[in-house]
Amino acid sequence: MNTNSLVSISDIGRDEILKLLETARQFEENPNRRLLEGKVVATLFFEPSTRTRLSFETAVNRLGGRVIGFSDANTTSSSKGETLKDTIKMVSNYVDLIIMRHYLEGAARYASEVTDVPIINAGDGANQHPSQTMLDLYSIYKTQGTLENLTITLVGDLKYGRTVHSLIMAMRYFNPEFRFVACKELGMPIEYKIFCEENGIKYTEHTDFSPEVINSSDIIYMTRVQRERFADIMEYEKVKDLYNLNNSMLGGAKENMKILHPLPRVNEIAQDVDDNPHAYYFEQARNGLYARQALICRALGIEV
């Protein structure tokens, strides 16, 4: 296993998080730097993605590297029965870094154990999404001026939402207070509530996305109810529209409050929110380029 792999956000501590945020800031000032000259990066996406894959590939291109890979596992030898181990070991012969998204929890950890090439986890099932967490942290830091002592409200699919799971783990260093807003079927898994309790993280649980919750938040992090995680389509239909945010709900929000969303959205954020100064999700997506440039350099041991 390469020690520069990033499988879980728990692989890096407070100091390294802050260093990566500073590196991301430097890349925002100048994203076009030929630091990956002669490097080849594989993007292996066994699960569909638009923003994450394009963001990573743009990051490599702006750093002067080359990208190989696939965005549809059906076009690869895995459709013929090739094991994940064999795919990773084969691709490792050609590249300096593997960026991988997979539908199975733990797939990225397994991949990191069968190769010496660094692995960046671009999402594994409902488990972790550490590169999304870094761009979320960068977005929070840019808009709030700090990561310390913030009230963060997580809304929607907290059961399967790997982005909120990773964010909780990263924020343990910064004394947050979380509000978990979800129905019983999509509530925060017990292991993440135990994590909060063990790390002294304050949290409350709510089934009502109330004005009191909205108006006392520094960050509102909306999530999509993910149809692809449901085996029973009727269960999905029952919960998909329970938590929606529209412009009329924001009249009493704190001036500094920003709305984040990992995207894509369906209807959990109404279109009329887009022009509200509290909306930040499209800027958040842009921040992904700079955060991922920082993570790529970390994985390859390149000092910026």
Side-chain angles (χ1 to χ4, degrees):
M1 177 178 177
N2 189 300
T3 57
N4 287 343
S5 289
L6 181 61
V7 173
S8 166
I9 197 65
S10 62
D11 293 341
I12 54 178
R14 175 192 170 93
D15 290 345
E16 194 161 15
I17 286 173
L18 294 175
K19 181 180 179 181
L20 284 165
L21 295 181
E22 171 57 22
T23 304
R25 186 195 64 76
Q26 294 177 38
F27 278 126
E28 182 167 9
E29 291 180 352
N30 179 17
N32 299 309
R33 303 172 65 178
R34 312 291 294 182
L35 299 173
L36 298 191
E37 199 76 55
K39 301 291 187 182
V40 179
V41 177
T43 53
L44 309 185
F45 279 67
F46 295 86
E47 185 179 57
S49 168
T50 302
R51 275 145 297 277
T52 302
R53 181 175 61 84
L54 292 180
S55 177
F56 267 118
E57 292 184 356
T58 302
V60 173
N61 287 324
R62 289 194 178 276
L63 291 171
R66 292 174 180 257
V67 178
I68 65 170
F70 55 81
S71 59
D72 181 359
N74 290 326
T75 65
T76 73
S77 292
S78 63
S79 65
K80 304 174 185 177
E82 184 175 62
T83 65
L84 178 60
K85 176 182 178 180
D86 286 1
T87 299
I88 295 299
K89 292 185 79 67
M90 182 273 296
V91 173
S92 297
N93 291 323
Y94 311 138
V95 302
D96 302 286
L97 169 65
I98 294 173
I99 298 164
M100 187 179 90
R101 171 171 286 197
H102 203 282
Y103 50 87
L104 291 178
E105 295 183 25
R109 179 69 66 191
Y110 176 75
S112 73
E113 292 170 351
V114 299
T115 180
D116 291 329
V117 171
I119 301 283
I120 295 179
N121 180 9
D124 61 331
N127 185 30
Q128 286 267 327
H129 198 345
S131 73
Q132 177 72 43
T133 303
M134 286 309 306
L135 75 91
D136 291 343
L137 293 175
Y138 187 49
S139 299
I140 293 169
Y141 186 79
K142 280 180 65 177
T143 60
Q144 306 301 312
T146 183
L147 293 177
E148 301 281 355
N149 305 314
L150 297 173
T151 299
I152 301 174
T153 298
L154 309 177
V155 185
D157 185 356
L158 309 187
K159 180 178 181 179
Y160 299 110
R162 57 193 171 198
T163 63
V164 296
H165 300 162
S166 293
L167 184 61
I168 288 170
M169 297 181 75
M171 286 298 298
R172 71 185 184 271
Y173 304 111
F174 305 106
N175 192 37
E177 179 174 347
F178 282 106
R179 278 81 172 276
F180 302 152
V181 179
C183 60
K184 181 179 179 182
E185 293 87 343
L186 295 176
M188 186 63 68
I190 184 64
E191 59 264 33
Y192 292 101
K193 291 189 280 188
I194 291 172
F195 179 88
C196 287
E197 291 158 8
E198 290 178 344
N199 286 274
I201 299 172
K202 300 182 289 293
Y203 73 89
T204 54
E205 296 184 271
H206 308 262
T207 55
D208 183 19
F209 193 22
S210 67
E212 291 75 19
V213 168
I214 293 170
N215 296 344
S216 57
S217 299
D218 298 305
I219 295 291
I220 293 177
Y221 196 107
M222 301 295 296
T223 65
R224 172 178 63 95
V225 177
Q226 302 173 75
R227 180 175 179 175
E228 61 269 28
R229 307 291 177 209
F230 285 78
D232 185 343
I233 191 62
M234 295 306 295
E235 286 297 310
Y236 167 75
E237 291 292 335
K238 185 170 71 173
V239 300
K240 69 175 184 176
D241 293 322
L242 289 180
Y243 299 101
N244 298 323
L245 181 64
N246 62 62
N247 200 49
S248 66
M249 299 166 68
L250 299 172
K254 296 167 68 173
E255 185 176 352
N256 66 294
M257 190 276 283
K258 294 298 179 186
I259 302 161
L260 303 185
H261 191 303
L263 301 177
R265 67 172 165 182
V266 183
N267 56 4
E268 59 276 1
I269 300 178
Q271 300 280 335
D272 65 6
V273 176
D274 293 354
D275 295 326
N276 190 298
H278 295 295
Y280 195 74
Y281 29 91
F282 294 121
E283 294 89 339
Q284 175 190 3
R286 183 174 65 238
N287 290 336
L289 170 61
Y290 317 124
R292 289 178 172 124
Q293 285 182 306
L295 289 174
I296 288 167
C297 288
R298 174 192 177 273
L300 292 171
I302 296 170
E303 288 293 329
V304 178

